[in-house]
Amino acid sequence: RTAAGARDPPAAMDLIHRLVNRASMTVEQQQKTVTTTCIVEIVLAIVAIIIVAADPSGDASAVAQAVLAALVMLTVGLVGIYGAHKKERGSLLFFFIIQMWVISALTSYLQATTREAGATDLMCAQLKFTRQSASADGCASSRTAVAILKMIVAALTFITAVASSFISFRLSEKIQELEHEAIASKTA
């Protein structure tokens, strides 16, 4: 343990490894899990496109970025399903790598959305204080609801991306082990 009481990285990794081994899944279970998480990601990507398209306050560049990210998630979800179904390591590794990008992009998106929600709340509070707008009463509630919805979808996508990337990588490793065992049995 460190001075702050947190576990040092090797001990934490050992704990994660032991938990994963206890919850070890067969190849078929991993295939089904990757396929299911990919389907969930595809649905979340479609929901994200709908939310972004329906948000009148979004600027053009933010809308374009969100739609592009959602389209990437749709495409990569299909690649993940294909890789899991066909037990194709190249597709699974491509899926894993792009999932790492998705996780990175989502953390940035969540941070930006949180900042935007704070700025919107401040703007609406000032409108109410100065009574400059008749629509100030509905300002905070509608904009905050959209921001919260965006954050919920992004958080769900983040959790799904972490789970699917981890399981897809484990599935790829398991497929490689099975390929090595098949080669070893042929040469023996």
Side-chain angles (χ1 to χ4, degrees), residues 108-123 147 151:
S108 297
Y109 180 77
L110 282 168
Q111 181 183 20
T113 304
T114 304
R115 283 185 190 161
E116 177 186 341
T120 300
D121 287 345
L122 179 61
M123 178 193 70
M151 285 188 257

Side-chain angles (χ1 to χ4, degrees), residues 155-172:
L156 290 172
T157 305
F158 179 84
I159 292 167
T160 306
V162 169
S164 63
S165 64
F166 177 74
I167 295 169
S168 69
F169 186 74
R170 298 230 348 135
L171 176 59
S172 175

Side-chain angles (χ1 to χ4, degrees), residues 55-123:
D55 184 13
S57 64
D59 64 12
S61 65
V63 170
Q65 282 180 327
V67 169
L68 179 64
L71 290 175
V72 168
M73 285 175 45
L74 282 169
T75 305
V76 171
L78 294 173
V79 170
I81 291 170
Y82 173 81
H85 181 70
K86 297 290 186 179
K87 296 182 184 177
E88 211 279 308
R89 288 192 67 233
S91 297
L92 287 170
L93 290 175
F94 177 75
F95 174 75
F96 173 78
I97 291 167
I98 300 301
Q99 287 296 82
M100 294 298 105
W101 173 81
V102 167
I103 291 168
S104 173
L106 281 171
T107 54
S108 297
Y109 180 77
L110 282 168
Q111 181 183 20
T113 304
T114 304
R115 283 185 190 161
E116 177 186 341
T120 300
D121 287 345
L122 179 61
M123 178 193 70

